[in-house]
Amino acid sequence: MRFLVWLVRAFVFFALFAFALNNQQEAAVRWFFGVEWRAPMVIIVLIAFAAGCAIGVLAMVPSWWRHRRVARRVTPEPVVPAPAAAPAVVPPPSDFLPEHPPRDGL
């Protein structure tokens, strides 16, 4: 299984590397008031991806803080220890049928 995971990682890496090699031509980003920024297209795409990730994480921060505050306020209920006597184990009857049919055909 580990080999398969590393194989998938290698494929993703080489696919992104090929994307970067194929997009080396210069592109221009035109801002407001006639400001223009020129850079290789792969750098522009990488910066746009990183900015989107950062904005997504920053948008989640208030929700994370709210959930942490609620989790700190809630106190866990005390655990009641089980009785010392062990429960008797009753074997199922011989004609016992499970709740769900077996999944042989799936």
Side-chain angles (χ1 to χ4, degrees), residues 29 51 71 73:
V29 178
R73 259 190 264 145

Side-chain angles (χ1 to χ4, degrees), residues 85-91:
V89 178
V90 179

Side-chain angles (χ1 to χ4, degrees), residues 10-83:
F11 173 75
V12 169
F13 171 77
F14 286 116
L16 291 174
F17 188 69
F19 172 77
L21 289 178
N22 287 332
N23 289 298
Q24 289 183 351
Q25 64 269 22
E26 193 167 293
V29 178
R30 292 182 180 86
W31 299 95
F32 299 109
F33 308 114
V35 177
E36 184 176 292
W37 178 56
R38 294 185 165 277
M41 187 180 297
V42 69
I43 300 296
I44 294 171
V45 170
L46 180 65
I47 290 173
F49 176 74
C53 289
I55 290 170
V57 167
L58 289 175
M60 289 295 297
V61 167
S63 175
W64 289 338
W65 285 343
R66 186 172 36 255
H67 286 291
R68 284 186 64 193
R69 250 193 334 264
V70 169
R72 265 189 267 141
R73 259 190 264 145
V74 174
T75 58
E77 295 181 12
V79 177
V80 178

Side-chain angles (χ1 to χ4, degrees), residues 84-99:
V89 178
V90 179
S94 60
D95 59 340
F96 174 73
L97 296 174
E99 290 183 29

